[in-house]
Protein backbone atom coordinates (compact mmCIF):
# COMPACT_ATOMS: atom_id res chain seq x y z
CA UNK A 1 0.00 0.00 0.00
CA UNK A 2 1.40 3.38 -1.02
CA UNK A 3 0.72 6.31 1.27
CA UNK A 4 1.13 10.00 0.44
CA UNK A 5 2.45 12.29 3.16
CA UNK A 6 0.11 15.07 4.21
CA UNK A 7 2.61 16.72 6.52
CA UNK A 8 6.36 16.94 6.49
CA UNK A 9 0.96 -7.67 17.62
CA UNK A 10 -0.65 -10.24 17.83
CA UNK A 11 -3.61 -12.06 16.19
CA UNK A 12 -6.02 -14.74 17.26
CA UNK A 13 -9.09 -16.37 15.75
CA UNK A 14 -10.50 -17.46 19.10
CA UNK A 15 -12.39 -15.26 21.53
CA UNK A 16 -11.48 -15.66 25.17
CA UNK A 17 -14.24 -15.65 27.75
CA UNK A 18 -11.95 -13.68 30.02
CA UNK A 19 -8.87 -11.83 28.90
CA UNK A 20 -5.70 -11.79 30.99
CA UNK A 21 -4.75 -8.68 32.93
CA UNK A 22 -1.71 -6.75 31.71
CA UNK A 23 1.08 -5.07 33.60
CA UNK A 24 0.81 -1.42 32.50
CA UNK A 25 3.95 -0.19 34.29
CA UNK A 26 5.97 1.68 31.68
CA UNK A 27 8.35 4.59 31.62
CA UNK A 28 6.74 7.98 31.09
CA UNK A 29 8.99 8.69 28.11
CA UNK A 30 10.27 5.70 26.20
CA UNK A 31 14.04 5.34 26.27
CA UNK A 32 14.60 8.52 28.33
CA UNK A 33 16.49 9.10 31.54
CA UNK A 34 15.26 11.10 34.51
CA UNK A 35 16.32 14.57 33.26
CA UNK A 36 15.03 14.04 29.72
CA UNK A 37 11.77 12.66 31.08
CA UNK A 38 11.37 15.76 33.26
CA UNK A 39 11.92 18.13 30.31
CA UNK A 40 9.63 16.22 27.96
CA UNK A 41 6.83 15.96 30.53
CA UNK A 42 7.19 19.68 31.27
CA UNK A 43 6.69 20.32 27.55
CA UNK A 44 3.67 18.00 27.56
CA UNK A 45 2.03 19.74 30.52
CA UNK A 46 2.69 23.16 28.99
CA UNK A 47 1.09 22.06 25.72
CA UNK A 48 -2.06 20.82 27.48
CA UNK A 49 -2.20 23.98 29.62
CA UNK A 50 -1.89 26.18 26.53
CA UNK A 51 -4.67 24.23 24.82
CA UNK A 52 -7.00 24.66 27.80
CA UNK A 53 -6.22 28.37 28.19
CA UNK A 54 -6.82 28.95 24.50
CA UNK A 55 -10.19 27.19 24.64
CA UNK A 56 -11.13 29.07 27.83
CA UNK A 57 -10.36 32.50 26.36
CA UNK A 58 -12.14 31.74 23.09
CA UNK A 59 -15.17 30.47 24.98
CA UNK A 60 -15.47 33.52 27.23
CA UNK A 61 -14.70 36.19 24.65
CA UNK A 62 -16.28 34.66 21.55
CA UNK A 63 -18.08 31.36 21.95
CA UNK A 64 -20.48 32.06 24.82
CA UNK A 65 -21.61 35.52 23.56
CA UNK A 66 -22.28 34.15 20.06
CA UNK A 67 -24.16 31.15 21.50
CA UNK A 68 -26.33 33.36 23.74
CA UNK A 69 -27.17 35.72 20.86
CA UNK A 70 -28.21 32.70 18.82
CA UNK A 71 -30.34 31.16 21.58
CA UNK A 72 -32.28 34.39 22.23
CA UNK A 73 -32.96 34.76 18.52
CA UNK A 74 -30.81 37.79 17.79
CA UNK A 75 -28.33 35.83 15.65
CA UNK A 76 -29.83 33.64 12.89
CA UNK A 77 -28.57 30.08 12.57
CA UNK A 78 -26.77 30.83 9.32
CA UNK A 79 -24.73 33.65 10.91
CA UNK A 80 -24.20 31.64 14.09
CA UNK A 81 -22.65 28.75 12.15
CA UNK A 82 -20.64 31.12 9.97
CA UNK A 83 -19.21 32.96 13.02
CA UNK A 84 -18.44 29.73 14.90
CA UNK A 85 -16.63 28.35 11.85
CA UNK A 86 -14.36 31.40 11.98
CA UNK A 87 -13.81 30.84 15.73
CA UNK A 88 -12.90 27.20 15.07
CA UNK A 89 -10.47 28.18 12.32
CA UNK A 90 -8.82 30.59 14.75
CA UNK A 91 -8.54 28.01 17.54
CA UNK A 92 -7.59 24.89 15.59
CA UNK A 93 -3.94 25.70 14.67
CA UNK A 94 -3.22 26.67 18.27
CA UNK A 95 -4.60 23.30 19.37
CA UNK A 96 -2.47 21.10 17.10
CA UNK A 97 0.76 23.13 16.71
CA UNK A 98 2.63 21.81 19.75
CA UNK A 99 1.34 18.19 19.79
CA UNK A 100 1.66 17.65 16.05
CA UNK A 101 3.82 20.22 14.23
CA UNK A 102 6.50 20.96 16.84
CA UNK A 103 6.55 17.35 18.04
CA UNK A 104 7.40 16.02 14.58
CA UNK A 105 4.20 14.13 13.83
CA UNK A 106 3.75 13.18 10.18
CA UNK A 107 0.48 12.12 8.61
CA UNK A 108 0.22 9.76 5.65
CA UNK A 109 -2.82 8.90 3.55
CA UNK A 110 -3.41 6.16 0.98
CA UNK A 111 -5.96 8.14 -1.09
CA UNK A 112 -5.40 11.89 -1.16
CA UNK A 113 -7.92 12.39 -3.96
CA UNK A 114 -10.72 10.87 -1.90
CA UNK A 115 -9.72 13.00 1.07
CA UNK A 116 -9.75 16.15 -1.07
CA UNK A 117 -13.21 15.19 -2.31
CA UNK A 118 -14.43 14.64 1.26
CA UNK A 119 -13.27 18.16 2.09
CA UNK A 120 -15.02 19.74 -0.88
CA UNK A 121 -18.59 19.07 0.27
CA UNK A 122 -20.61 17.58 3.10
CA UNK A 123 -19.19 14.16 3.90
CA UNK A 124 -19.63 11.36 6.42
CA UNK A 125 -16.57 9.56 7.75
CA UNK A 126 -16.71 6.37 9.82
CA UNK A 127 -13.49 5.90 11.79
CA UNK A 128 -12.03 3.35 14.16
CA UNK A 129 -11.51 4.56 17.72
CA UNK A 130 -8.17 3.29 18.98
CA UNK A 131 -6.89 6.55 20.46
CA UNK A 132 -7.90 9.71 22.32
CA UNK A 133 -6.52 12.00 19.62
CA UNK A 134 -8.61 10.96 16.63
CA UNK A 135 -10.42 14.29 16.97
CA UNK A 136 -7.16 16.24 16.74
CA UNK A 137 -6.11 14.36 13.60
CA UNK A 138 -9.54 15.05 12.10
CA UNK A 139 -9.33 18.77 12.89
CA UNK A 140 -5.83 18.99 11.42
CA UNK A 141 -6.90 17.28 8.20
CA UNK A 142 -9.95 19.53 7.89
CA UNK A 143 -7.92 22.69 8.51
CA UNK A 144 -4.87 22.14 6.31
CA UNK A 145 -5.13 23.34 2.72
CA UNK A 146 -2.00 21.66 1.38
CA UNK A 147 -1.83 17.86 1.32
CA UNK A 148 0.96 16.02 -0.48
CA UNK A 149 1.31 18.85 -2.97
CA UNK A 150 -2.45 19.10 -3.58
CA UNK A 151 -4.52 22.14 -2.70
CA UNK A 152 -7.75 21.43 -0.84
CA UNK A 153 -10.60 23.36 0.69
CA UNK A 154 -10.52 24.19 4.40
CA UNK A 155 -13.65 22.70 5.93
CA UNK A 156 -15.34 22.63 9.29
CA UNK A 157 -15.03 19.33 11.16
CA UNK A 158 -17.77 17.96 13.40
CA UNK A 159 -18.20 14.83 15.50
CA UNK A 160 -20.92 12.50 16.73
CA UNK A 161 -20.19 12.22 20.46
CA UNK A 162 -21.46 10.55 23.60
CA UNK A 163 -23.80 13.07 25.28
CA UNK A 164 -21.91 13.37 28.63
CA UNK A 165 -18.92 14.84 26.76
CA UNK A 166 -20.77 18.14 26.35
CA UNK A 167 -20.56 18.65 30.13
CA UNK A 168 -16.79 18.19 30.27
CA UNK A 169 -15.22 21.49 31.40
CA UNK A 170 -13.70 23.59 28.61
CA UNK A 171 -13.30 21.03 25.79
CA UNK A 172 -16.83 19.64 26.17
CA UNK A 173 -18.35 23.10 26.52
CA UNK A 174 -16.46 24.22 23.42
CA UNK A 175 -17.73 21.25 21.41
CA UNK A 176 -21.28 22.05 22.51
CA UNK A 177 -21.43 25.85 22.31
CA UNK A 178 -19.06 26.53 19.42
CA UNK A 179 -18.71 23.35 17.37
CA UNK A 180 -22.40 22.39 17.51
CA UNK A 181 -21.52 18.69 17.47
CA UNK A 182 -24.11 15.91 17.57
CA UNK A 183 -24.49 14.48 21.08
CA UNK A 184 -26.14 11.07 21.40
CA UNK A 185 -27.73 10.06 24.71
CA UNK A 186 -29.07 6.58 24.03
CA UNK A 187 -28.74 5.28 20.48
CA UNK A 188 -28.75 6.58 16.92
CA UNK A 189 -32.30 5.28 16.59
CA UNK A 190 -33.69 6.96 19.71
CA UNK A 191 -31.76 10.17 19.08
CA UNK A 192 -32.80 10.34 15.43
CA UNK A 193 -34.68 13.69 15.81
CA UNK A 194 -31.62 15.33 17.41
CA UNK A 195 -29.36 14.04 14.65
CA UNK A 196 -31.67 15.15 11.86
CA UNK A 197 -32.19 18.63 13.35
CA UNK A 198 -28.45 19.17 13.72
CA UNK A 199 -27.75 18.12 10.14
CA UNK A 200 -30.66 20.22 8.89
CA UNK A 201 -29.21 23.32 10.60
CA UNK A 202 -25.97 22.99 8.66
CA UNK A 203 -27.62 22.16 5.35
CA UNK A 204 -30.11 25.04 5.60
CA UNK A 205 -27.28 27.45 6.42
CA UNK A 206 -25.21 26.01 3.55
CA UNK A 207 -22.31 25.40 5.96
CA UNK A 208 -20.29 22.41 4.75
CA UNK A 209 -18.95 19.97 7.31
CA UNK A 210 -16.89 16.79 7.50
CA UNK A 211 -18.84 14.74 10.03
CA UNK A 212 -16.86 12.08 11.90
CA UNK A 213 -18.43 9.10 13.60
CA UNK A 214 -16.72 6.31 15.55
CA UNK A 215 -19.27 3.47 15.55
CA UNK A 216 -17.35 1.68 18.32
CA UNK A 217 -18.53 4.40 20.65
CA UNK A 218 -15.79 4.13 23.28
CA UNK A 219 -12.06 3.69 23.78
CA UNK A 220 -11.12 0.71 25.93
CA UNK A 221 -8.25 0.89 28.39
CA UNK A 222 -6.79 -1.96 30.43
CA UNK A 223 -9.11 -2.38 33.43
CA UNK A 224 -11.36 -5.29 34.30
CA UNK A 225 -14.47 -3.68 32.75
CA UNK A 226 -12.49 -2.94 29.57
CA UNK A 227 -11.36 -6.56 29.27
CA UNK A 228 -14.91 -7.76 29.84
CA UNK A 229 -16.22 -5.52 27.09
CA UNK A 230 -13.52 -6.68 24.65
CA UNK A 231 -14.51 -10.28 25.40
CA UNK A 232 -18.18 -9.47 24.83
CA UNK A 233 -17.37 -7.88 21.47
CA UNK A 234 -15.29 -10.87 20.41
CA UNK A 235 -18.07 -13.24 21.45
CA UNK A 236 -20.62 -11.16 19.52
CA UNK A 237 -18.50 -11.62 16.39
CA UNK A 238 -18.52 -15.39 16.87
CA UNK A 239 -22.27 -15.39 17.45
CA UNK A 240 -22.71 -13.52 14.17
CA UNK A 241 -20.41 -16.01 12.37
CA UNK A 242 -17.42 -13.69 12.04
CA UNK A 243 -13.87 -14.16 13.23
CA UNK A 244 -13.28 -12.04 16.37
CA UNK A 245 -12.17 -8.50 15.55
CA UNK A 246 -8.56 -8.01 16.63
CA UNK A 247 -8.10 -4.25 16.39
CA UNK A 248 -11.59 -2.79 16.80
CA UNK A 249 -14.69 -3.23 18.92
CA UNK A 250 -17.98 -4.21 17.36
CA UNK A 251 -19.72 -1.17 15.82
CA UNK A 252 -23.05 0.23 16.95
CA UNK A 253 -25.48 -0.03 14.10
CA UNK A 254 -29.08 0.50 15.30
CA UNK A 255 -30.43 3.66 13.70
CA UNK A 256 -27.04 4.54 12.21
CA UNK A 257 -28.62 5.04 8.79
CA UNK A 258 -30.12 8.29 10.13
CA UNK A 259 -26.69 9.83 9.62
CA UNK A 260 -27.02 9.33 5.87
CA UNK A 261 -28.94 12.62 5.92
CA UNK A 262 -25.49 14.23 6.05
CA UNK A 263 -24.74 13.19 2.45
CA UNK A 264 -28.16 12.29 1.03
CA UNK A 265 -28.87 15.45 -1.02
CA UNK A 266 -25.38 16.75 -1.81
CA UNK A 267 -24.15 13.31 -2.94
CA UNK A 268 -21.09 13.73 -0.76
CA UNK A 269 -18.84 10.75 -0.08
CA UNK A 270 -19.29 8.30 2.75
CA UNK A 271 -15.83 7.12 3.75
CA UNK A 272 -14.48 4.38 5.98
CA UNK A 273 -11.32 5.48 7.80
CA UNK A 274 -8.75 3.38 9.62
CA UNK A 275 -6.24 5.31 11.73
CA UNK A 276 -2.96 3.66 12.70
CA UNK A 277 -0.45 5.25 15.09
CA UNK A 278 3.16 4.18 14.70
CA UNK A 279 6.17 5.13 16.83
CA UNK A 280 9.69 3.87 16.18
CA UNK A 281 8.34 1.30 13.74
CA UNK A 282 5.83 -0.13 16.24
CA UNK A 283 2.06 -0.03 15.89
CA UNK A 284 0.69 1.57 19.05
CA UNK A 285 -3.02 0.78 18.63
CA UNK A 286 -2.30 -2.88 17.93
CA UNK A 287 -4.43 -5.90 18.87
CA UNK A 288 -6.92 -5.20 21.65
CA UNK A 289 -5.66 -8.26 23.54
CA UNK A 290 -1.96 -7.46 23.14
CA UNK A 291 -0.02 -6.51 26.31
CA UNK A 292 1.93 -4.06 24.13
CA UNK A 293 -1.13 -2.00 23.08
CA UNK A 294 -0.93 1.74 23.71
CA UNK A 295 -3.91 4.09 23.61
CA UNK A 296 -2.35 7.22 22.06
CA UNK A 297 -3.28 10.55 23.62
CA UNK A 298 -2.07 14.14 23.49
CA UNK A 299 0.87 13.26 25.76
CA UNK A 300 1.90 10.50 23.34
CA UNK A 301 2.05 13.06 20.53
CA UNK A 302 3.89 15.68 22.59
CA UNK A 303 6.61 13.22 23.58
CA UNK A 304 7.81 13.34 19.99
CA UNK A 305 9.64 16.53 20.89
CA UNK A 306 12.23 14.61 22.90
CA UNK A 307 11.66 11.02 21.91
CA UNK A 308 10.33 9.18 18.87
CA UNK A 309 7.63 11.14 16.96
CA UNK A 310 4.32 9.46 16.22
CA UNK A 311 3.40 8.89 12.58
CA UNK A 312 -0.30 8.68 11.73
CA UNK A 313 -1.43 6.53 8.81
CA UNK A 314 -4.90 7.19 7.41
CA UNK A 315 -6.40 4.49 5.23
CA UNK A 316 -9.52 5.61 3.33
CA UNK A 317 -12.09 3.49 1.53
CA UNK A 318 -15.18 4.80 -0.20
CA UNK A 319 -18.37 3.22 1.07
CA UNK A 320 -21.25 2.51 -1.27
CA UNK A 321 -24.55 2.17 0.52
CA UNK A 322 -28.14 2.12 -0.70
CA UNK A 323 -30.42 4.78 0.73
CA UNK A 324 -32.98 2.07 1.51
CA UNK A 325 -30.48 -0.08 3.41
CA UNK A 326 -32.45 -2.49 5.61
CA UNK A 327 -29.61 -4.49 7.17
CA UNK A 328 -27.18 -2.01 8.73
CA UNK A 329 -25.78 -4.65 11.09
CA UNK A 330 -24.39 -6.78 8.27
CA UNK A 331 -23.16 -3.71 6.41
CA UNK A 332 -21.26 -2.38 9.45
CA UNK A 333 -19.88 -5.77 10.48
CA UNK A 334 -18.62 -6.43 6.95
CA UNK A 335 -16.93 -3.03 6.90
CA UNK A 336 -15.23 -3.69 10.24
CA UNK A 337 -14.18 -7.24 9.42
Amino acid sequence: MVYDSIHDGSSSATAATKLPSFDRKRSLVEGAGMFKTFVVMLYCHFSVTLLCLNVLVDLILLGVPVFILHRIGVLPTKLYLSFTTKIINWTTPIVFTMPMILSGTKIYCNDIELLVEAKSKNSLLLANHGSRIDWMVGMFVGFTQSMAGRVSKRIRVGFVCEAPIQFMPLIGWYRKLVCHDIFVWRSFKQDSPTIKNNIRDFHTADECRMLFLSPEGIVVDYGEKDREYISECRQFCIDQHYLPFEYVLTPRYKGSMTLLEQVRHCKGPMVSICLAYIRDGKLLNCSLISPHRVVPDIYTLNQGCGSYPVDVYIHLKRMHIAQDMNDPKTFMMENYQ
Side-chain angles (χ1 to χ4, degrees):
M1 180 64 66
V2 177
Y3 286 80
D4 290 320
S5 172
I6 293 179
H7 170 71
D8 304 352
S10 62
S11 63
S12 170
T14 304
T17 56
K18 186 174 181 180
L19 301 179
S21 59
F22 302 136
D23 181 7
R24 304 306 305 170
K25 293 181 180 179
R26 294 178 178 172
S27 58
L28 288 175
V29 180
E30 187 175 352
M34 183 179 298
F35 177 75
K36 186 175 182 179
T37 297
F38 174 79
V39 174
V40 171
M41 293 307 296
L42 188 65
Y43 176 89
C44 292
H45 291 318
F46 177 74
S47 171
V48 174
T49 302
L50 183 64
L51 185 155
C52 292
L53 287 175
N54 173 59
V55 171
L56 175 63
V57 171
D58 288 348
L59 265 177
I60 294 175
L61 298 183
L62 302 171
V64 172
V66 169
F67 178 79
I68 292 175
L69 289 175
H70 175 246
R71 289 302 297 266
I72 64 177
V74 174
L75 196 64
T77 299
K78 183 177 180 64
L79 287 178
Y80 163 67
L81 293 178
S82 177
F83 287 163
T84 51
T85 295
K86 290 179 173 60
I87 295 173
I88 292 169
N89 287 339
W90 160 259
T91 304
T92 297
I94 302 175
V95 169
F96 65 62
T97 294
M98 287 189 70
M100 299 186 69
I101 305 299
L102 299 183
S103 297
T105 296
K106 294 182 180 179
I107 301 181
Y108 301 88
C109 180
N110 71 309
D111 193 338
I112 290 293
E113 296 303 328
L114 179 55
L115 186 55
V116 170
E117 180 186 349
K119 294 182 60 177
S120 67
K121 60 184 76 173
N122 286 311
S123 55
L124 180 62
L125 302 99
L126 277 60
N128 63 322
H129 203 16
S131 83
R132 291 189 171 84
I133 48 176
D134 302 330
W135 62 274
M136 184 175 290
V137 175
M139 292 185 69
F140 173 85
V141 169
F143 182 85
T144 186
Q145 294 178 294
S146 177
M147 304 188 300
R150 297 163 178 83
V151 176
S152 67
K153 175 183 176 183
R154 177 171 294 160
I155 190 170
R156 179 170 178 149
V157 174
F159 300 91
V160 180
C161 314
E162 293 285 340
I165 291 178
Q166 65 189 304
F167 304 113
M168 183 187 301
L170 298 183
I171 301 299
W173 300 340
Y174 185 88
R175 302 306 314 177
K176 170 67 175 179
L177 304 182
V178 177
C179 298
H180 200 41
D181 283 338
I182 298 175
F183 296 95
V184 180
W185 278 106
R186 296 170 295 276
S187 70
F188 299 133
K189 185 175 182 180
Q190 292 175 295
D191 285 302
S192 177
T194 299
I195 295 171
K196 289 182 177 179
N197 289 337
N198 182 285
I199 292 174
R200 187 183 303 115
D201 284 345
F202 280 87
H203 287 186
T204 302
D206 197 27
E207 191 72 36
C208 287
R209 174 174 60 164
M210 289 177 70
L211 185 60
F212 280 83
L213 162 69
S214 293
E216 294 167 77
I218 62 172
V219 176
V220 287
D221 287 301
Y222 320 102
E224 182 64 28
K225 293 295 184 181
D226 301 293
R227 296 194 298 274
E228 289 178 4
Y229 188 61
I230 293 172
S231 289
E232 290 171 2
C233 288
R234 292 169 65 81
Q235 187 60 51
F236 180 82
C237 290
I238 292 177
D239 294 342
Q240 300 299 316
H241 310 294
Y242 293 94
L243 292 176
F245 296 164
E246 289 294 327
Y247 300 93
V248 293
L249 303 169
T250 50
R252 301 179 184 184
Y253 58 87
K254 293 182 179 179
S256 57
M257 297 301 101
T258 302
L259 288 160
L260 289 179
E261 293 292 330
Q262 168 71 6
V263 296
R264 188 185 301 275
H265 301 295
C266 69
K267 306 299 182 183
M270 183 175 177
V271 182
S272 174
I273 299 182
C274 181
L275 295 170
Y277 298 88
I278 296 177
R279 180 174 61 192
D280 191 27
K282 301 174 184 177
L283 179 63
L284 299 181
N285 55 325
C286 57
S287 172
L288 293 171
I289 61 175
S290 170
H292 305 294
R293 179 171 67 95
V294 175
V295 181
D297 56 23
I298 192 170
Y299 281 85
T300 311
L301 287 180
N302 277 312
Q303 288 177 21
C305 73
S307 182
Y308 300 105
V310 174
D311 290 333
V312 183
Y313 286 78
I314 304 175
H315 184 273
L316 306 179
K317 180 178 69 174
R318 187 187 300 272
M319 303 177 72
H320 299 282
I321 181 169
Q323 295 289 345
D324 59 349
M325 165 68 67
N326 55 15
D327 188 10
K329 179 175 70 174
T330 299
F331 176 80
M332 297 291 279
M333 292 293 288
E334 290 289 342
N335 178 58
Y336 265 60
Q337 190 176 24

